[in-house]
Amino acid sequence: ALDLLDRPTSAADRSMRLERLELASGLLPALMQVLDIRDVLDSLSEISKQALAHDILTLSLLDDDLTHVTIEARSGSAPQLGGTFPQPYPPAIVRAWKFDIVDDHLRHPLERDRPATQAGSRSSIRVPLRLGDRVIGGLGFMSLECATYSSADVEIALRLADFITVTLSHQRLAERARHTDELRARAANLELLDDLLN
């Protein structure tokens, strides 16, 4: 393992990594006008395939105590990929999560019964979505083939997740602003009603 970790990166590998990161930045223009990422995940999946090949892209959000996960959006139309279900990993693991690569979902004890596996996913790379130091969800790149991903894909997946996280942050701010406007309008209506009753 030490030999693998100490192996210098070749010029060709560095060049390929930079090229893939540049391809990942192609996601930015598609995200500029998006207020709800769930509406555009299919097109985002197509754009991000240039940087990181996948058959299914999933966007999942975690509840505040990190015990349940909700698949907010997924590329394609697999009906079994949706809903809220228990998070199989302990909250401490989720808080410390940097990435995970699963080579064979059917042989992994915590992955074989999950919705993505039942939808045909055989391998995956998943990375967290973080707001500040808090994990709010994950971005999953799934392949129908086993052993598709390696550590060379981690940096690309993390970069794509960063772009998605910025969009989610803007989406949440827009939802809060809309909710605040609704509360203000309701308060104004109640004041008007009080004036009328007086």
Side-chain angles (χ1 to χ4, degrees):
L2 186 59
D3 289 341
L4 289 172
L5 292 171
D6 282 344
R7 183 182 302 161
T9 307
S10 71
D13 287 343
R14 285 193 302 273
S15 176
M16 177 63 77
R17 190 188 84 216
L18 290 173
E19 184 179 326
R20 291 176 71 199
L21 287 170
E22 182 65 28
L23 289 169
S25 69
L27 201 60
L28 284 174
L31 292 170
M32 296 300 272
Q33 304 300 321
V34 173
L35 283 182
D36 192 337
I37 201 160
R38 293 168 291 198
D39 298 336
V40 295
L41 201 70
D42 278 327
S43 60
L44 297 181
S45 172
E46 288 305 312
I47 294 167
S48 62
K49 279 181 183 178
Q50 297 172 30
L52 185 58
H54 59 274
D55 296 304
I56 303 168
L57 177 64
T58 60
L59 170 68
S60 56
L61 297 179
L62 292 157
D63 63 357
D64 289 339
D65 60 0
L66 306 177
T67 58
H68 286 80
V69 62
T70 300
I71 296 183
E72 284 292 311
R74 48 78 184 107
S75 63
S77 59
Q80 62 270 49
L81 270 182
T84 299
F85 50 91
Q87 165 65 301
Y89 298 94
I93 298 291
V94 176
R95 277 194 281 292
W97 177 35
K98 301 294 182 201
F99 70 91
D100 64 70
I101 296 173
V102 179
D103 285 334
D104 188 347
H105 283 211
L106 292 176
R107 296 182 62 166
H108 192 290
L110 296 178
E111 297 294 334
R112 65 175 146 235
D113 296 324
R114 293 187 78 180
T117 305
Q118 294 171 5
S121 172
R122 289 299 168 263
S123 63
S124 64
I125 182 169
R126 290 180 303 223
V127 292
L129 301 172
R130 291 181 183 275
L131 282 179
D133 60 352
R134 193 168 61 91
V135 178
I136 62 165
L139 192 63
F141 300 88
M142 315 284 174
S143 173
L144 302 180
E145 304 292 326
C146 291
T148 301
Y149 303 103
S150 72
S151 58
D153 298 313
V154 173
E155 188 176 7
I156 310 304
L158 288 169
R159 181 69 53 93
L160 291 165
D162 287 343
F163 297 152
I164 298 289
T165 301
V166 169
T167 304
L168 280 174
S169 175
H170 289 165
Q171 179 179 324
R172 286 182 172 200
L173 288 172
E175 288 171 357
R176 280 192 201 131
R178 186 171 47 247
H179 182 65
T180 301
D181 288 345
E182 289 171 1
L183 290 175
R184 284 187 185 134
R186 189 177 306 153
N189 286 340
L190 288 173
E191 285 179 18
L192 182 61
L193 184 58
D194 283 346
D195 289 346
L196 289 172
L197 288 173
N198 286 337

